[in-house]
Amino acid sequence: MPRPPKRGLAVGWIIAIVALGMVVVVGAAVGVFALLNRGSGYDAVEGKYGAGPLASCDDFAARVGNLPPKRSDMPLQGSKGWLCTFTDEASTVTVHLDVEVTNAARQRSGFDTMTASAGYVVDPAVHLGERAAWGSIATGRSCDLIVLDSNATFKVGLDDGNAARDATQACKDRVKVIAEALYDVMQPR
């Protein structure tokens, strides 16, 4: 009975060469992709506010008078920025500040989403940053403003339980003054 033909080393070598070739090609493709996209990721901090450190909640409080005492100061997770709250429980006034810095594309996309789906209304009369928009449910007791500027958004909210519900313009005027101060403090020096 004749013996079956021996498999030579040729098939094994061919498989090894093909596998090694695939590893080299995939590795080269990943390397080129990483090199070409270096620093341009969706969450990369780049733009006007990316180079230096941001002013803190305490910096803001020191430069802006007439704020309630600081209640909380929390850095944002996953991006550059912070949230802080100033509250005077006796007068039931709370000021919320939110600063987020990523990249201009993400900030513009987020701002556009807020104005398209969350009911924020762009106000061309507010001359801060590139654009500013008011929250949809403004009353004399609660209103908020979001400002887009390059690769940052600044959001200022005010809650005043003792204010008249129909004093919407007074609430907006107070928030606008706070937003102007926040914008000024946050400018890169």
Side-chain angles (χ1 to χ4, degrees):
M1 182 183 283
R3 289 182 148 176
K6 276 187 164 182
R7 285 193 165 181
L9 293 178
V11 173
W13 279 105
I14 292 173
I15 291 172
I17 290 171
V18 169
L20 181 62
M22 288 177 56
V23 168
V24 168
V25 169
V26 169
V30 168
V32 168
F33 180 78
L35 182 63
L36 293 177
N37 290 301
R38 179 181 52 187
S40 65
Y42 190 68
D43 290 325
V45 175
E46 49 189 45
K48 179 178 178 180
Y49 298 94
L54 294 177
S56 68
C57 294
D58 292 329
D59 295 332
F60 175 73
R63 293 183 59 189
V64 178
N66 222 6
L67 279 177
K70 184 175 78 171
R71 186 177 84 195
S72 68
D73 180 350
M74 183 173 53
L76 292 181
Q77 298 298 318
S79 59
K80 186 176 177 181
W82 45 257
L83 304 168
C84 56
T85 304
F86 299 87
T87 301
D88 182 357
E89 299 200 16
S91 67
T92 67
V93 172
T94 299
V95 175
H96 306 276
L97 304 176
D98 179 349
V99 175
E100 180 184 27
V101 176
T102 54
N103 68 38
R106 180 174 178 181
Q107 294 303 337
R108 286 187 180 99
S109 173
F111 187 88
D112 291 343
T113 298
M114 295 287 279
T115 57
S117 64
Y120 277 73
V121 178
V122 175
D123 186 348
V126 177
H127 301 287
L128 290 173
E130 297 172 25
R131 293 182 281 166
W134 292 101
S136 61
I137 308 174
T139 69
R141 291 188 176 181
S142 180
C143 59
D144 62 291
L145 177 70
I146 188 168
V147 175
L148 169 67
D149 190 39
S150 180
N151 63 320
T153 54
F154 308 104
K155 186 174 179 183
V156 177
L158 174 70
D159 297 314
D160 185 348
N162 290 327
R165 288 191 184 277
D166 62 350
T168 304
Q169 191 57 51
C171 185
K172 286 184 173 184
D173 290 344
R174 288 173 70 187
V175 164
K176 187 175 174 188
V177 167
I178 296 168
E180 288 169 346
L182 177 60
Y183 182 79
D184 181 56
V185 167
M186 298 308 296
Q187 295 308 297
R189 308 273 183 229

